[in-house]
Amino acid sequence: MLIRLEPWSLLARTHDLRSMSEGFRSVGFEDKAVETMLVTGGLIVLCLTLVFIGRYFRRFERLKSYNSPPELFRELCRVHRLDWSSRRLLKRLAAEWEMTSPALLFVEPERFNAARLPADWQPSANQLERIRQQLFETP
């Protein structure tokens, strides 16, 4: 049994196809204007809140107080781009000089003189000189 479809029979069925797609048609913008405005307003409020929170925390970061000697030492090492081995050496040097904080080494270049240190510091003399130059000599 062979069914033969004529081209005009498909055109006649467009009403059936149109009725099948009625559930998928979107509602116009005018019908959803209130919901659209509420969502847009909510997103704007959220974005503004995040911007103000970011500014608030950046303000406190600029006003950061360094009443903590270890925090001051970490920040000075970060600013001068010292690696971990240099930081450990500075802590050892501060302990050798019996300083209250290793951060004081950043204002006392004479403490890096290996000749004034005991003999066990001689293997670190080159690294101490490199750190002293990095901290106190301008490029």
Side-chain angles (χ1 to χ4, degrees):
M1 171 186 245
L2 183 63
I3 300 176
R4 187 170 175 182
L5 294 174
E6 298 294 330
W8 58 84
S9 68
L10 289 175
L11 293 175
R13 293 180 178 244
T14 58
H15 177 69
D16 293 336
L17 295 175
R18 191 174 299 141
S19 66
M20 285 175 35
S21 67
E22 282 180 0
F24 297 108
R25 291 189 188 141
S26 64
V27 180
F29 179 75
E30 304 83 37
D31 297 336
K32 296 285 185 180
V34 174
E35 290 89 1
T36 303
M37 296 304 283
L38 286 175
V39 169
T40 304
L43 288 173
I44 289 172
V45 167
L46 178 67
C47 290
L48 289 175
T49 302
L50 292 174
V51 166
F52 287 126
I53 288 173
R55 285 186 181 182
Y56 179 76
F57 283 112
R58 277 194 304 270
R59 189 181 111 225
F60 280 112
E61 188 175 310
R62 284 191 303 264
L63 299 175
K64 199 174 192 180
S65 173
Y66 293 105
N67 293 333
S68 166
E71 182 64 31
L72 176 60
F73 178 71
R74 276 192 296 276
E75 186 65 19
L76 286 168
C77 288
R78 186 190 66 77
V79 168
H80 288 283
R81 295 186 178 107
L82 296 176
D83 59 1
W84 287 106
S85 65
S86 298
R87 292 177 188 203
R88 280 193 313 271
L89 185 63
L90 287 179
K91 287 179 183 179
R92 279 186 45 223
L93 184 62
E96 180 69 36
W97 287 107
E98 297 177 354
M99 301 177 98
T100 57
S101 170
L104 293 172
L105 290 170
F106 287 85
V107 293
E108 298 182 14
E110 66 275 0
R111 303 286 184 163
F112 290 87
N113 187 352
R116 295 178 56 198
L117 292 169
D120 60 333
W121 279 88
Q122 295 312 313
S124 303
N126 289 338
Q127 188 177 6
L128 283 174
E129 180 59 26
R130 183 185 55 79
I131 294 171
R132 188 193 66 74
Q133 288 175 354
Q134 187 175 351
L135 296 179
F136 298 106
E137 293 183 7
T138 57

